[in-house]
Each structure stands twice: as structure tokens, then as C-alpha cells.
Amino acid sequence: MNLFDVYPLYPITPVKALDCTITDDKGIEYLDLYSGHGVISIGHTHPDYIAKMKTQLDNLSFYSNAIQNPLQLELAQKLGKLSGLEEYSLFLCSSGAEANENALKLASFHTNKSRVIAFDNSFHGRTSAAVAVTDNKKIVAPLNAQQAVTFLPLNDINLVETELQKGDVCCVIIEGIQGVGGLDQGTTEFFQALEKACKAHEVVLILDEVQSGYGRSGKFFAHQYHGITPDIICMAKGMGNGFPIGGILIAPHFEASYGLLGTTFGGSHLACAAGIAVLDVIESQNLMENVKNVEAYFIEAIKVIPEIIKVKGRGLMLGVEFDFDVSALRKKMIIEKHIFTGGSSNKNLLRILPPLTITTEAIDTFIFALQESLAELKS
């Protein structure tokens, strides 16, 4: 049997990793500035994380949500404390797409309406409703396209108001910082006006923090820079440092009922152990402060490269934009300089999503390799 061919693959086979370094089967070391789509939050094979997971595996890795699982409550309490959102409730699932699916479904139940407002260049996942609110026709099947979705440009509150006034919108879904779309983000003025408009029209505001959450922006959630309180917040990628876990934070005005939401694998014992370990390390190592410090260093240090026209994003969710397609540059960085970065729908942008433990020395290594690569491509 062969694998279904859906991913273009680099000729690299990682076999082990430590913090921000990946080693392949030939013994070559790579600097990881991408974290596997922003998943590795506290560094590869962090010793506290490994110890927590091994201990949990020795005891119990999984049982269904039909029984008591104190680890879920421990995770919820630590998450509430570290994020500052202790009044919210937590529903656990297994991925970012599943988190967004449940958020959209909960909003529809809550309002008894079905149309969704999403934004140009958005990415919310590849499952049914999540892909329907993703602005990429190539990955939206006819089955998904049946959903009632209106896409609008970021930062135009007048267009949002016009749609909300029609009275059939159940929710607005927006990323704290766009990931796959190329690191664009709403302004504070826009986010605050959006929250006000949603409240006025009794429309649910969903913040997709799947990639921009868990300290990656320098705050626990990126929307916290704007002083707003969303109705539902979606999480996943950095939540388990590589173990599949996702969740939504639900504001107090939503009423729970049996059967409203559900999951088989979400909130398993092993998933909760991963989630607890991540929160403990973020707090004990003060990683959000490291994110801010490294961001400030990066923004200043990258100025030595005149070919860069813009640095986008926030924290350690950054995009380095050029005035040319960076595909060849990114490939050279990976194959020849042994540095992983990411791409986006903006073909002129290198996406920088390192573990939150990254050092300024690693940033220097990246900048030097980038300078070399640019010079070599010109020659």
C-alpha cells in the first residue's frame, strides 16, 4: 500500500530533535524556525514535557469522556489562570479544525442562524464548516461550498455592519493574526468596532487563535492586544507541543446541555498531560517574555537586509516579505543552509514560527544565512 499523495515533500527525514534543533537520518542538524506549522511551543523534547508524558503513559493514556478525568479540570484551571480568562469554560477536542467546527456549531445553536462572516485570506481548517469559512477555493469541495459564508476584507467595519444588518448572521470568525494568509491582522480600531457590532446585532464573535494563541504573539492570545472579549476562542497548535489537542474557550453566557458538543479523543488523559506540561513550562520559563524580547531583537536585526520590504505579524509569528517569489530562497535555506522556515498564500513571504524558546543567537544564524542565500541567488 502507498500513501495517498497529497503533500510535496522535501528530501529530509528527521529522526530526533532537541529544543530548536532537528537532526535528520544523515546526522545533519537543522535550525527549526517553523515548529511544524507553529506546533512546537516549548521546544522539541523538553525534559519536563517528556517526563510528564512518560509518567502518564505508565498509568493511563486514554478512556472516554463518560468517566471522571481530573486532568481536564487541572488543565482548565491552569489555562484560565495563565490566560486571564478564568470566567470562560473549556471544551477539549483534538485539532484546530475541530475546535473551529465546534465553535461554529455552538454559535449556530446559540443564535438559531446559519450564515457566517469570514475574512479574505483566512484559513480555519480543512473539515466541513472550517474549510467553508477558509478563503481558498482550491481546498473547498462542492459539499463544503453549500455553507452560507460571506468573505469580507479585513479592517472595513462598514461592510461588516452592512452584512450584520441583514439579520441572518450567526457568527463572525476571525484570526488573531492570519497565518496561512500571510500574517495580516485587524487593527485595534477594527477589532473593537467588530466586537461592538457583534454585540449590537447579537452575533457570536469567534476568535481563531489556533496559531496565534498560547503565547506566540507575546500575550497569551493575540486578541488581548486589542482589549476585546470574544464569545468563543479557538486553540490548538501550540497547546500540546506536538501531541494532538485542541479546544474552545466559551464565554459564560452560553448554556451547556448534554449532547450539544462531543468528542471521542478530545481531552484524553495523555492529551491533558501534554497540555498541562506546556502551560507549566510557559509559566516557569517565562516564555511570553522571551517572545517579546526575541521579537524586538528580530525586528531590529533584520534591518541589515535591504531586500526586505516589510516585517509582518507579532511576537514569534512573523512574516518577512520581499518583492519577489521566495520559493527558491526558502528551498535554498532548507537544503543548503539547514534552516526551516514556512511559506504562505503570499508567495513573497517567509513565515517565521520558531519554538517560543528560541534565542537571539539563533536569530543571528538565520539572518546571516539569509544574507548569504540572497547573495548566492543573485550571482
Side-chain angles (χ1 to χ4, degrees), residues 29-325:
E29 292 186 346
Y30 296 79
L31 175 61
D32 186 8
L33 296 185
Y34 192 52
S35 305
H37 306 307
V39 167
I40 301 300
S41 51
I42 59 170
H44 293 278
T45 60
H46 191 288
D48 294 352
Y49 174 85
I50 296 300
K52 185 84 172 176
M53 296 293 276
K54 285 182 175 177
T55 299
Q56 190 59 50
L57 271 172
D58 284 339
N59 294 318
L60 177 67
S61 64
F62 173 83
Y63 205 72
S64 80
N65 284 305
I67 45 79
Q68 299 283 333
N69 182 352
L71 291 172
Q72 292 184 354
L73 184 57
E74 182 183 351
L75 175 58
Q77 290 174 339
K78 288 188 173 184
L79 176 55
K81 179 185 175 185
L82 200 55
S83 68
L85 298 170
E86 292 176 286
E87 73 277 14
Y88 283 66
S89 298
L90 172 65
F91 173 77
L92 290 165
C93 55
S94 300
S95 72
E98 191 183 354
N100 286 330
E101 287 285 341
N102 280 286
L104 293 163
K105 180 168 69 172
L106 184 59
S108 187
F109 271 129
H110 185 72
T111 61
N112 201 33
K113 296 173 183 176
S114 61
R115 187 159 69 101
V116 180
I117 291 176
F119 292 92
D120 294 348
N121 297 318
S122 60
F123 185 92
H124 298 289
R126 294 178 180 269
T127 54
S128 181
V131 79
V133 297
T134 290
D135 185 23
N136 183 348
K137 290 182 173 60
K138 291 181 180 179
I139 65 171
V140 178
L143 175 68
N144 312 123
Q146 298 178 96
Q147 305 275 357
V149 182
T150 302
F151 291 98
L152 299 175
L154 275 175
N155 296 318
D156 191 331
I157 193 62
N158 292 327
L159 289 179
V160 176
E161 283 275 10
T162 297
E163 295 301 322
L164 295 183
Q165 288 168 6
K166 295 176 182 178
D168 62 340
V169 174
C170 72
C171 64
V172 175
I173 185 167
I174 184 171
E175 293 159 275
I177 303 169
Q178 289 190 337
V180 174
L183 285 303
D184 290 316
Q185 57 188 308
T187 63
T188 293
E189 181 184 20
F190 178 72
F191 271 110
Q192 291 180 353
L194 184 62
E195 178 189 34
K196 183 178 178 181
C198 285
K199 279 183 166 56
H201 294 278
E202 298 183 338
V203 168
V204 174
L205 177 59
I206 300 172
L207 252 294
D208 178 349
E209 296 270 13
V210 167
Q211 189 171 118
S212 55
Y214 262 68
R216 182 153 292 281
S217 71
K219 289 187 181 290
F220 198 88
F221 291 118
H223 76 264
Q224 291 173 322
Y225 282 100
H226 308 298
I228 63 170
T229 53
D231 298 299
I232 305 174
I233 303 162
C234 305
M235 316 165 291
K237 290 190 185 297
M239 211 173 165
N241 205 47
F243 193 91
I245 180 173
I248 56 175
L249 295 181
I250 305 165
H253 55 270
F254 288 85
E255 185 176 347
S257 63
Y258 295 145
L260 185 70
L261 302 176
T263 177
T264 296
F265 296 105
S268 72
H269 296 76
L270 195 55
C272 287
I276 291 166
V278 166
L279 291 172
D280 285 346
V281 172
I282 288 175
E283 184 173 29
S284 66
Q285 292 190 206
N286 201 13
L287 291 186
M288 285 188 279
E289 190 63 28
N290 187 61
V291 169
K292 293 175 184 175
N293 292 338
V294 176
E295 178 198 12
Y297 185 87
F298 184 99
I299 297 297
E300 191 60 34
I302 203 74
K303 290 178 181 177
V304 300
I305 301 180
E307 293 90 343
I308 294 172
I309 61 172
K310 187 184 294 185
V311 177
K312 301 168 76 173
R314 199 190 291 264
L316 291 177
M317 187 174 174
L318 298 170
V320 180
E321 190 171 21
F322 298 84
D323 62 359
F324 57 87
D325 187 317

Side-chain angles (χ1 to χ4, degrees), residues 349-362:
L349 188 103
L350 281 179
R351 201 149 44 120
I352 312 298
L353 297 168
L356 309 187
T357 54
I358 197 77
T359 64
T360 55
E361 289 79 11

Side-chain angles (χ1 to χ4, degrees), residues 18-35:
L18 178 64
D19 197 17
C20 300
T21 302
I22 294 172
T23 306
D24 74 5
D25 57 349
K26 299 179 180 67
I28 299 171
E29 292 186 346
Y30 296 79
L31 175 61
D32 186 8
L33 296 185
Y34 192 52
S35 305

